[in-house]
Amino acid sequence: MESKLIERVLENWFKEVSSDFPPELRDDIRKRIKGYITAILSGEDPESVVEKVDEEFIERMIRESGSRPEDVIRRMELLAKELSKHKEFEVVAENFAKFVLAFLKKMLRVYERLLSEEAESRRRVERVLRVLGRTNQAITRIGDEKELLKEVCRIIVEEGGYAYVWVGYAEEDKSVRVVATAGKGDYAHAIKVTWDYGDTGQGPTGMAIRTGKAYVVRDIEKDGSFEVWKEEALKRGFRSSVSLPLRVNGKVTGALNIYASEKDAFDEEELSLLEELADSISYAIYSLRSRKKREELEKLYELTVENTGTAILVIESERIIFANKKAEELSGFSRNELMGKPFTILLPEKDRNEILKIHKLRLAKPELAPNEYEIKYADRHGRVGYAIVTASVIPGTKRVVVSLIDITQRKDLEKKLRESEERYKAIFEKSPLGIVLSSVDMTILDCNDAVLKMVGMRKEDVIGRKWTELNIFDPDKLAELMREFYRGLSGEFKEMDLEIKVDGNVRYLRVFPVLLKKEGIPYAFVNILEDVTDKKIAETQLKDALERIQILRSIDLGIIEGKNIRDLLSDLVKALKQKVGCDILAIRVLGDNGFTVSYPEIGESMVKSVDAEKEVVVNLLEKDSLSEFEVELLKAGMVRYAIIPLVARGDKLGVILAASRESKEKDVEFLRMIAGQLAIAVHEALLFEAKRKAYEQIEQNIEQFAILVDHIRNPLAAAQGFVEIYVDNEEAKTKIKEQLDRIVELVEQLEKGWVKSEAISEYLRRERENRGDGIEQT
Amino acid sequence: MVVEDDAAVLETVQLMLGDRYDIIPATNGEEAVRKYKMFKPEVVLMDVMMPVMDGVEATKEIKKIDPQAKIIGLTAYARKKGKELLEAGALEVIEKPFTRKQLIEVIEKYLK
């Protein structure tokens, strides 16, 4: 058949069938049919022609034109009919019939496949729809977010038939936290998923969270993005997955992750429904969270209103429409009793009109009504109290919210405080003790008259000034005073005596400081001052007297113990130097055996000329000419000295020298007081020493005497022996013996004397010992 | 044994007693102690005041060697030193000057 003829046949045929196809398919179909017919007419095997027809084209034809097999048969019949009008067709009629049959077979195959795919798709859509329906039911039923997600997961697996599902929330640290799962195998907890740009953040979940779009993995085995979790997923039989973002309030907060056992399990329609499911879940989460927040807020409001410690009323049309618990307590009425009552029942009758006027003014011209004012209120028993009222109109309404702070107790306290203050003020002002209130920086805030009397100042000269600025303290002692003060701040402040100078006179104040603290932080001092000047002077005098006695006693004891007078005075100068506070103290004992003791030791040459008939006190800096001794003193750095003679029973026994580096007067008075007694003590000590020496001499004499007697007896014994042996003449023997006996008698008399001397010596020694013992025991 | 630093007194005692007893002389306490160890004399006549070692000390030493030693003191200083000698272990004390009779009586008393 000629091409033109075929063209004409097809022209006629297409007129009949073209309307079956959408315009964009028509040309293609016509061209293809022409090709097939030409091939058949040219003797090509019809089956091989059909073989070449691609299934995609058939699929398009079925899908886009809605062609069914019977439509194809009808069209082919029409084509056959058209072809049969031409004789040329007869030769290939059989081949054409074979082509139609083969084409139909192929088309049926495609058609059935499409039908099955459609059914599968519908099945899937149905299951998602079922999941959606059940999920929506769960959303309306379950009020807890976690419970809901758990139930949704269960529905997706059990109702939807998916293999596994989990919900993960995107955390701040970029990790994904598992919040619910369903399906076999604890997959979600076995893997690590993040939503950062690391390896574990590049999978479907991480992508869905980051991009906010659904992410489908059609083949887990082959998809590179699933590499990290592939092994775990395949082990559990998962073949494809989808991760759907969950949005709360416009922000992606997590992902719903669904896994299927088949590859490519999620087609577009299903995916779209799953996205809808994710949106429903997102909205449910949002609603639950909002509701929870709202409930919490409501609870908070309620708690605030009930626990604010303030009575709160809402008034509308002059009647109470709301009252909190505190309002019940304040009024003595229950909430139910208050509801609907005019608010004026809470006011004393005589105040009602005025408050009502303010209330009306507030509603009419809120800017003119006072917002806060003090009122008297009356409770159900008619008891009157005080309250601070704050009132304002609720915007857009005629309602007024009123809060009342009960200040009855405060008022009472204020009254009591006022009374107490008055009492304390009287104590403060009339107290014979000084009372000073000072801040922690030592500024004097207040003080009473007693203080002013002590420091000899007027109040205006004292208040607002610092203690240290009053010029009453010795500048040398200020540093120590400040140290004490700072010790006081750390809580170590103790009672202390302060030396002050008022009009050139030294006075002593005993201070009892009390540190005032607020919440553990010191903020002021209350100092109680007592003028202890008289007490202090008496104490000093007593102390001096005691020290004098002690020093004199030490001299006495030394004498009694038989201490060498030089040692005794050496100890004494040390004690005296310390007491007097001078830099050199020396005692010079005059006489043949005179000596000097000093502390610290000074050269003998320096003191040998120290002497004075009367007491002298010399300031070297004021002298025009200096003696040799004074030059020596000056060389040693001394500028002032005093010499006090030691006179006992009219005899001058020695002198005391006290020298100091400072020209300030030292305690020479003490030396003066002690000098007389010291002189007597020195006198006695010297006497005692002389006696001691005399005793020693006596003892020595006795010893010598005894030896002498012994020495006499030896030749006597020899002489007597020799007479007995050698003298034969009895008369001569008798006469010699008589003379020897006389000598023996004399010796014995001497011995008797010696015995007496020894007894006296023994008696004196015993007496000396007894005296010493006796004094030590006192 | 006669212990005496005064040569005249020692000679007198030797002359007084030499015909009756064998006498070992010693001129001080130390010599006396040494000779006592060597000769173990029956009686010791001991002077008190001697150089090197006095009679009191020598008596104590001899008594340490032989608690049974018989020591008789010879002293001019009887009241004080005689007492010390008795405390050191002497049996009695004879005052100087003495007679031959006195010495023999006391020696015989302790020789029995």
Side-chain angles (χ1 to χ4, degrees):
Chain A
M1 286 177 88
E2 283 179 21
S3 177
K4 276 186 184 172
L5 180 64
I6 293 169
E7 196 62 45
R8 206 168 57 239
V9 168
L10 282 175
E11 188 74 31
N12 292 335
W13 172 71
F14 216 68
K15 269 180 201 161
E16 296 284 330
V17 299
S18 67
S19 62
D20 286 358
F21 306 108
E24 64 272 15
L25 262 183
R26 285 176 195 163
D27 276 355
D28 191 22
I29 287 175
R30 194 173 153 169
K31 214 180 279 170
R32 280 173 186 267
I33 294 294
K34 188 186 171 185
Y36 302 147
I37 299 299
T38 310
I40 291 164
L41 290 179
S42 62
E44 206 174 315
D45 177 36
E47 280 185 10
S48 67
V49 173
V50 170
E51 195 82 16
K52 286 176 194 163
V53 177
D54 62 282
E55 287 194 3
E56 197 190 341
F57 168 69
I58 297 169
E59 204 177 310
R60 267 183 79 199
M61 201 172 66
I62 295 168
R63 282 187 194 283
E64 291 171 27
S65 64
S67 302
R68 286 166 303 173
E70 52 268 39
D71 298 326
V72 174
I73 293 169
R74 183 178 53 81
R75 283 176 210 137
M76 286 299 135
E77 274 174 357
L78 282 172
L79 182 59
K81 199 174 156 189
E82 203 56 46
L83 285 168
S84 64
K85 287 176 186 170
H86 304 280
K87 207 165 59 188
E88 292 90 336
F89 177 69
E90 281 174 16
V91 266
V92 291
E94 197 179 340
N95 275 354
F96 183 74
K98 279 183 184 169
F99 167 77
V100 170
L101 202 65
F103 188 81
L104 268 172
K105 259 190 202 167
K106 191 161 190 170
M107 192 222 167
L108 266 175
R109 221 171 33 243
V110 172
Y111 188 71
E112 273 169 11
R113 179 170 61 79
L114 288 177
L115 272 182
S116 135
E117 276 177 12
E118 202 175 309
E120 175 60 21
S121 171
R122 205 163 31 252
R123 192 185 60 78
R124 284 179 184 173
V125 168
E126 275 168 7
R127 76 176 178 183
V128 180
L129 283 171
R130 204 163 48 240
V131 167
L132 250 175
R134 290 288 167 89
T135 300
N136 287 334
Q137 282 174 12
I139 287 168
T140 53
R141 195 177 70 240
I142 299 171
D144 178 74
E145 184 176 328
K146 209 167 172 191
E147 279 298 306
L148 174 69
L149 292 174
K150 219 167 123 186
E151 178 62 3
V152 168
C153 287
R154 188 195 65 76
I155 292 167
I156 291 170
V157 169
E158 287 180 15
E159 305 285 338
Y162 293 102
Y164 189 80
V165 60
W166 65 281
V167 176
Y169 278 178
E171 296 293 321
E172 288 284 321
D173 64 356
K174 302 283 179 187
S175 66
V176 176
R177 178 168 57 90
V178 179
V179 285
T181 67
K184 47 183 183 169
D186 197 9
Y187 174 67
H189 289 105
I191 57 166
K192 186 191 172 191
V193 180
T194 60
W195 59 287
D196 55 12
Y197 289 94
D199 285 351
T200 50
Q202 299 299 321
T205 311
M207 291 295 283
I209 292 171
R210 273 207 314 278
T211 61
K213 287 178 187 161
Y215 193 93
V216 180
V217 175
R218 301 205 176 274
D219 188 347
I220 286 175
E221 203 172 355
K222 290 182 181 153
D223 195 315
S225 70
F226 217 92
E227 194 58 36
V228 183
W229 310 279
K230 191 166 86 179
E231 197 186 330
E232 289 291 334
L234 292 176
K235 209 158 63 182
R236 289 168 173 80
F238 307 156
R239 289 292 178 272
S240 58
S241 83
V242 61
S243 290
L244 302 143
L246 296 174
R247 274 191 192 78
V248 176
N249 217 7
K251 190 184 162 200
V252 179
T253 56
L256 172 67
N257 308 286
I258 303 171
Y259 299 79
S261 311
E262 320 86 46
K263 285 183 203 164
D264 202 9
F266 306 96
D267 64 23
E268 272 179 36
E269 201 171 352
E270 188 179 3
L271 190 60
S272 149
L273 284 169
L274 286 173
E275 280 175 330
E276 204 178 305
L277 174 70
D279 287 346
S280 285
I281 296 167
S282 295
Y283 185 72
I285 293 169
Y286 169 71
S287 303
L288 285 177
R289 287 185 186 175
S290 304
R291 192 163 78 196
K292 201 173 168 194
K293 227 179 232 175
R294 206 166 46 244
E295 281 171 3
E296 279 171 1
L297 208 60
E298 277 169 11
K299 189 82 194 160
L300 186 69
Y301 281 138
E302 194 188 319
L303 282 171
T304 309
V305 168
E306 289 303 339
N307 294 290
T308 180
T310 309
I312 295 172
L313 299 169
V314 179
I315 297 162
E316 188 175 30
S317 308
E318 294 168 25
R319 287 178 187 277
I320 297 166
I321 60 163
F322 172 83
N324 70 352
K325 207 171 151 196
K326 197 75 190 174
E328 284 183 317
E329 286 170 19
L330 183 124
S331 66
F333 291 106
S334 74
R335 233 177 274 214
N336 284 341
E337 285 172 325
L338 287 171
M339 292 300 163
K341 295 266 167 39
F343 75 87
T344 47
I345 61 156
L346 299 175
L347 299 167
E349 248 182 271
K350 64 180 179 63
D351 294 348
R352 287 181 184 173
N353 277 339
E354 197 185 337
I355 306 287
L356 203 55
K357 262 189 232 166
I358 297 173
H359 179 73
K360 284 177 179 169
L361 179 67
R362 186 182 316 286
L363 288 169
K365 290 183 174 171
E367 69 280 6
L368 295 180
N371 285 331
E372 198 177 286
Y373 49 98
E374 193 178 309
I375 61 154
K376 278 183 193 164
Y377 70 83
D379 69 5
R380 73 179 304 161
H381 307 294
R383 276 195 296 262
V384 174
Y386 293 87
I388 299 275
V389 167
T390 309
S392 56
V393 179
I394 300 172
T397 69
K398 288 281 176 194
R399 291 172 175 174
V400 175
V401 61
V402 178
S403 67
L404 296 103
I405 299 170
D406 192 349
I407 56 164
T408 314
Q409 222 173 359
R410 199 171 83 193
K411 281 256 179 194
D412 283 351
L413 272 176
E414 275 172 8
K415 194 178 160 208
K416 279 180 191 158
L417 201 63
R418 245 191 334 271
E419 287 166 3
S420 155
E421 261 177 19
E422 277 162 17
R423 275 201 302 277
Y424 281 112
K425 202 174 170 198
I427 295 171
F428 180 78
E429 283 169 358
K430 303 275 171 353
S431 168
L433 291 172
I435 303 171
V436 184
L437 182 68
S438 59
S439 64
V440 286
D441 71 348
M442 289 205 255
T443 305
I444 298 168
L445 305 172
D446 199 2
C447 71
N448 65 358
D449 290 346
V451 173
L452 298 173
K453 205 171 148 195
M454 287 174 196
V455 298
M457 289 183 181
R458 293 174 306 165
K459 201 160 190 167
E460 53 267 38
D461 299 331
V462 171
I463 305 296
R465 289 176 69 190
K466 290 187 176 170
W467 270 110
T468 47
E469 295 167 356
L470 297 182
N471 295 325
I472 53 173
F473 297 110
D474 181 349
D476 294 346
K477 290 179 182 166
L478 262 184
E480 176 58 26
L481 195 67
M482 295 293 283
R483 264 200 296 283
E484 276 299 317
F485 176 77
Y486 286 114
R487 258 201 290 276
L489 280 183
S490 57
E492 289 175 37
F493 219 170
K494 287 174 193 151
E495 168 195 319
M496 60 192 276
D497 288 348
L498 299 178
E499 187 184 310
I500 62 167
K501 240 180 194 169
V502 179
D503 299 330
N505 297 317
V506 174
R507 300 200 71 78
Y508 296 94
L509 301 183
R510 185 156 294 163
V511 185
F512 303 88
V514 179
L515 186 59
L516 302 182
K517 289 181 179 177
K518 202 179 270 173
E519 287 164 3
I521 298 163
Y523 73 96
F525 279 106
V526 171
N527 296 296
I528 313 289
L529 309 181
E530 185 191 355
D531 190 336
V532 291
T533 310
D534 295 341
K535 224 187 262 181
K536 202 85 179 170
I537 290 169
E539 268 176 22
T540 312
Q541 283 171 346
L542 186 65
K543 198 172 153 225
D544 276 357
L546 283 172
E547 279 174 351
R548 214 161 60 229
I549 289 169
Q550 215 164 12
I551 287 171
L552 290 171
R553 188 169 179 269
S554 76
I555 301 169
D556 272 353
L557 279 175
I559 294 167
I560 289 156
E561 282 166 10
K563 224 180 194 175
N564 181 300
I565 181 135
R566 191 185 278 262
D567 295 344
L568 200 143
L569 292 179
S570 289
D571 291 345
L572 182 65
V573 289
K574 283 180 196 166
L576 280 178
K577 178 185 173 284
Q578 199 182 353
K579 166 66 192 152
V580 175
C582 56
D583 296 294
I584 295 173
L585 200 128
I587 295 175
R588 184 176 174 214
V589 176
L590 304 169
D592 294 342
N593 298 317
F595 60 89
T596 303
V597 287
S598 64
Y599 188 76
E601 258 185 60
I602 50 173
E604 184 68 28
S605 62
M606 188 165 160
V607 284
K608 67 179 179 209
S609 57
V610 175
D611 200 359
E613 290 305 315
K614 285 181 184 169
E615 179 189 314
V616 288
V617 177
V618 179
N619 188 337
L620 294 174
L621 301 177
E622 290 169 0
K623 260 190 116 181
D624 293 334
S625 64
L626 302 174
S627 67
E628 200 181 326
F629 156 70
E630 288 170 336
V631 171
E632 289 292 320
L633 269 186
L634 207 56
K635 276 189 200 164
M638 305 295 137
V639 296
R640 191 172 187 277
Y641 74 91
I643 296 177
I644 296 154
L646 295 173
V647 180
R649 295 185 183 110
D651 293 335
K652 198 173 96 183
L653 301 170
V655 286
I656 306 175
L657 162 71
S660 60
R661 289 192 174 88
E662 290 172 33
S663 57
K664 265 164 72 177
E665 190 173 343
K666 294 284 174 187
D667 203 355
V668 177
E669 180 59 30
F670 185 79
L671 290 178
R672 211 173 281 144
M673 282 194 287
I674 209 168
Q677 283 151 298
L678 179 62
I680 292 170
V682 168
H683 183 266
E684 200 171 319
L686 289 171
L687 210 62
F688 196 82
E689 185 135 301
K691 272 187 199 170
R692 190 172 54 80
K693 279 184 182 160
Y695 293 145
E696 276 171 12
Q697 191 57 52
I698 290 172
E699 274 177 11
Q700 215 177 339
N701 291 350
I702 290 169
E703 187 73 23
Q704 287 293 323
F705 191 73
I707 291 165
L708 198 64
V709 168
D710 187 65
H711 288 175
I712 294 170
R713 277 183 180 271
N714 270 338
L716 267 175
Q720 189 157 313
F722 288 139
V723 170
E724 245 183 78
I725 295 158
Y726 296 119
V727 179
D728 294 329
N729 185 320
E730 283 303 317
E731 193 184 340
K733 199 184 263 184
T734 305
K735 280 188 177 171
I736 292 167
K737 276 196 82 173
E738 272 172 14
Q739 292 313 307
L740 288 172
D741 286 343
R742 275 182 68 195
I743 297 170
V744 169
E745 201 175 318
L746 284 171
V747 167
E748 275 173 359
Q749 271 176 15
L750 282 171
E751 266 186 342
K752 277 177 195 162
W754 162 67
V755 168
K756 272 184 191 165
S757 298
E758 200 177 47
I760 290 166
S761 161
E762 186 67 20
Y763 166 76
L764 289 173
R765 198 173 64 244
R766 266 207 315 275
E767 192 204 36
R768 207 160 66 235
E769 280 168 9
N770 286 343
R771 198 176 156 198
D773 288 349
I775 284 174
E776 269 168 23
Q777 281 160 12
T778 36
Chain B
M1 183 160 72
V2 180
V3 190
E4 174 62 65
D5 66 320
D6 191 305
V9 178
L10 182 61
E11 190 190 343
T12 308
V13 176
Q14 279 178 308
L15 289 170
M16 280 175 166
L17 305 175
D19 59 338
R20 281 181 77 103
Y21 310 109
D22 291 330
I23 295 173
I24 305 153
T27 55
N28 61 52
E30 197 182 78
E31 192 185 335
V33 174
R34 200 170 60 246
K35 285 188 173 171
Y36 189 90
K37 281 183 199 165
M38 287 165 67
F39 302 105
K40 286 276 162 59
E42 288 170 282
V43 174
V44 180
L45 296 178
M46 179 77 78
D47 185 24
V48 180
M49 296 181 81
M50 288 182 293
V52 188
M53 185 190 277
D54 71 9
V56 176
E57 198 61 31
T59 301
K60 283 180 188 168
E61 288 299 312
I62 289 169
K63 276 288 185 182
K64 268 189 224 165
I65 300 161
D66 179 10
Q68 305 300 320
K70 291 163 182 167
I71 300 167
I72 296 151
L74 296 176
T75 179
Y77 202 25
R79 281 170 188 82
K80 192 176 177 187
K81 290 288 176 181
K83 201 180 162 203
E84 286 177 30
L85 207 60
L86 287 171
E87 281 168 2
L91 296 167
E92 63 182 270
V93 177
I94 297 171
E95 210 172 289
K96 287 176 186 174
F98 39 74
T99 60
R100 183 169 181 265
K101 196 180 159 208
Q102 275 176 305
L103 288 178
I104 290 168
E105 268 175 17
V106 78
I107 291 166
E108 288 303 314
K109 189 160 88 185
Y110 294 108
L111 277 179
K112 283 171 187 170

